[in-house]
Structure formats: structure tokens, C-alpha cells
Amino acid sequence: VAGTHDQVVGWMARPLLELNRDVQQRWPQIVMFDPSLTRFTTDLLAAAVARDVPLATARMRAHYDAIDVSVRALLSPFVSGGKT
């Protein structure tokens, strides 16, 4: 992150990296990364470097909407008391 010398990239990346570090330290058995994270990060940072706010916003919304669906599906047995 520091190597990019880009303040916007730093603002976006540092909280994600800190969150990942904290979660890995507290719960090492949890895998933080969805397989789509690499593509999402590449696309989001490209949009940020291009200063394309609408594209960055669209990429972020699409990614987190998809992750939300996945997390809800994974947690549904626990939330619904085993009823699907």
C-alpha cells in the first residue's frame, strides 16, 4: 500500500488490511477471502486510479451484494434454527 504513493489507494486498502489482520489474529480458523476478492480488488483499484467514481461504486455494490447473498446462505441454518 505504501509503495503506491497514492493517498486514495491507501485510504481504501488500510482498513481492509487491518480488518483482515485483526480477524486472522482472533480467529485463525476463519478464511477471510472469497475467491472473487482478487478480481474485485483489481477492478476496484483500477477504477480508483482512473478516478472513475461511478464504476468504483458499481463494482463495490455488485461485489458486496454477491457476498451478502453467500453469507446469508451460509448462516441461514443457524439463523433459522435449522429450518430452511
Side-chain angles (χ1 to χ4, degrees):
V1 172
T4 65
H5 303 291
D6 189 318
Q7 192 173 26
V8 173
V9 172
W11 287 341
M12 293 171 64
R14 277 191 199 97
L16 294 172
L17 294 171
E18 289 173 8
L19 174 63
N20 180 51
R21 184 193 64 227
D22 291 347
V23 169
Q24 290 294 319
Q25 287 175 348
R26 291 182 187 172
W27 304 286
Q29 68 277 15
I30 293 178
V31 176
M32 282 287 292
F33 299 110
D34 181 79
S36 65
L37 184 63
T38 301
R39 170 55 49 205
F40 161 68
T41 303
T42 301
D43 291 346
L44 180 63
L45 290 177
V49 168
R51 307 243 190 266
D52 188 338
V53 174
L55 180 59
T57 302
R59 297 282 192 218
M60 188 165 301
R61 284 188 179 139
H63 177 74
Y64 283 105
D65 286 348
I67 294 298
D68 188 53
V69 169
S70 297
V71 169
R72 287 175 185 263
L74 287 169
L75 296 177
S76 68
F78 303 103
V79 175
S80 65
K83 300 174 190 168
T84 54

